[in-house]
Amino acid sequence: MELIDGKKVSGDIKKEIAAEVAEMIAAGKKQPHLAAVLVGHDGGSETYVAAKVKACEECGFKSTLIRFEDDVTEEELLATVDKLNGDEDIDGFIVQLPLPKHISEQKVIEAIDYRKDVDGFHPINVGRMSIGLPCFVSATPAGIMELLSRYGINTKGANCVVLGRSNIVGKPVSMLMMQKGNPGNATVTVCHSATKNIKEICRDADIIIAALGSPEFVKEDMVKDGAVIVDVGTTRVPSSVTKSGWKLKGDVDFEHVAPKCSYITPVPGGVGPMTIVSLMKNTLLAAKKIIY
Ligand code: GUN
C-alpha cells in the first residue's frame, strides 16, 4: 500500500507556481491577484478561506479578502461580484459557499464573469469541462486528477466508482475520469443515495472516489484487493484529543481499508491540500488570460 501524499505534492506545485510567478514579475508582468468573498462566520468556511489566503502568499500572489456579515443582502453581494468582474487588477475571485439561505447561490455563481471564475462553478466552465474544452476546472476534481497523474496511476480502462453526485465533486470528477485523456479513459459508475447494491458495485471497482460526506462509509468488505482509493470526505467530528475539539474524518474507514489498497489518500493530507493548490493553478491560468 502506498499513501498518496497530497501535502507533499501540493507543496511541490506551490513551489512550481512561485517560480513561474517570479519569472512573470521579472518579465515586467503584474502579480497574479485572487480575491475571496466570505459571508458570515461558518467555521469551515473561515478555515478554508484562511488557507486560500495563505496559499496565495506561498505562491507569490496578491490576495484580497472581502467580508460580509450573515445579513448581507443578495443585491449587495451581486454588486460586489459586479465590481470584482470589472476590476482589472483582480484576475480571479471566489465567493465561498455555502451562502446564507436568503441568497441564491446559483444567482451569485452565474453573476461571476466566467473568465474570472477560478472555482470553475459557472455553467460556462462546467459546460466547457464536460465537452473537453479549455476552462477552469473546479478545484477538488482538478486536484484528484493531478494526484492520479503525479502518482502514475493507470486509469485507462479502469472501473472507476464515484460515490456522490454533487456539483462540486461527484459530477465533475466522473466526467473527467471518463473523458479521453490521461488520466481519464475510465469506465465510470456514479453511485448516490438512490443507488441499490452500492457494496457490490464498489467491490468491482479498480478506483473508488468517495465524495459523500458520510464518515467511514467505505468499509473493508466494499473494496477489492489492490484498489486505488481517493477519499474526498472532510467531515468534522468531535475529538477530545485536538485543541480545536474536532478532527476531520474521511468517507473511508482508513484503518481497515488501507491495508487492501494499492494506493490511498489519507484524511487529512490527501485531497484537501490539492484542492487549494488547484485554485492557485486556476488563478495563475486566469492571470495569463488564456481562457476567453
Ligand atoms: N465551499 C466548499 N468548497 C468550496 C470551494 O471549492 N469553493 C467555494 N467557493 N466554496 C466552497
Side-chain angles (χ1 to χ4, degrees):
M1 184 273 290
E2 189 175 346
L3 214 54
I4 298 180
D5 190 346
K7 202 163 171 204
K8 181 188 177 299
V9 173
S10 68
D12 293 346
I13 296 173
K14 277 189 265 191
K15 282 190 201 127
E16 291 163 20
I17 295 173
E20 199 170 336
V21 170
E23 271 175 33
M24 285 165 73
I25 289 168
K29 301 210 171 86
K30 83 168 196 68
Q31 192 180 16
H33 186 177
L34 174 72
V37 179
L38 176 59
V39 178
H41 299 274
D42 172 78
S45 295
E46 293 263 10
T47 308
Y48 289 132
V49 170
K52 289 169 187 178
V53 169
K54 181 165 169 265
C56 282
E57 280 165 29
E58 291 168 333
C59 292
F61 296 170
K62 192 172 161 186
S63 68
T64 299
L65 174 58
I66 301 165
R67 299 197 68 134
F68 289 102
E69 291 302 322
D70 271 318
D71 60 357
V72 65
T73 64
E74 194 175 270
E75 286 78 24
E76 279 175 281
L77 204 54
L78 290 171
T80 300
V81 167
D82 221 34
K83 216 165 117 196
L84 292 170
N85 282 339
D87 185 333
E88 284 195 5
D89 194 60
I90 287 173
D91 299 296
F93 65 98
I94 63 155
V95 179
Q96 188 68 23
L97 305 178
L99 292 172
K101 295 249 177 313
H102 65 278
I103 298 173
S104 159
E105 287 186 352
Q106 201 53 35
K107 220 172 182 178
V108 171
I109 289 169
E110 291 193 33
I112 298 172
D113 183 332
Y114 70 91
R115 292 162 296 193
K116 293 192 176 191
D117 168 40
V118 284
D119 257 334
F121 291 168
H122 192 286
I124 292 181
N125 282 314
V126 177
R128 286 184 171 184
M129 187 267 297
S130 72
I131 56 174
L133 293 177
C135 64
F136 295 112
V137 176
S138 61
T140 303
I144 293 168
M145 300 307 277
E146 185 84 41
L147 281 180
L148 295 173
S149 167
R150 291 208 179 210
Y151 275 81
I153 291 166
N154 179 40
T155 58
K156 187 176 177 183
N159 276 340
C160 174
V161 170
V162 176
L163 300 176
R165 56 178 159 184
S166 69
N167 289 340
I168 294 185
V169 186
K171 270 185 213 149
V173 84
S174 62
M175 280 191 275
L176 293 169
M177 287 299 286
M178 76 169 135
Q179 251 166 29
K180 265 193 187 157
N182 183 24
N185 267 321
T187 304
V188 181
T189 306
V190 182
C191 298
H192 46 76
S193 51
T195 302
K196 295 174 192 158
N197 61 330
I198 286 195
K199 196 182 265 190
E200 287 71 25
I201 294 170
C202 285
R203 256 193 231 134
D204 208 29
D206 303 306
I207 302 170
I208 296 177
I209 301 174
L212 294 158
S214 176
E216 300 190 338
F217 179 89
V218 179
K219 304 280 185 210
E220 185 185 358
D221 64 352
M222 295 167 72
V223 175
K224 80 171 176 190
D225 284 330
V228 174
I229 307 283
V230 177
D231 189 349
V232 191
T234 51
T235 308
R236 283 181 175 197
V237 296
S239 166
S240 55
V241 294
T242 61
K243 234 185 352 186
S244 61
W246 55 266
K247 62 175 183 172
L248 287 182
K249 264 246 185 298
D251 285 352
V252 178
D253 178 1
F254 185 89
E255 187 191 341
H256 298 105
V257 169
K260 297 185 81 174
C261 301
S262 56
Y263 294 90
I264 185 166
T265 63
V267 176
V271 175
M274 292 303 295
T275 295
I276 291 177
V277 95
S278 299
L279 176 68
M280 299 298 117
K281 281 184 88 171
N282 277 350
T283 303
L284 184 60
L285 201 61
K288 292 182 183 166
K289 307 278 182 264
I290 46 181
I291 305 246
Y292 52 85

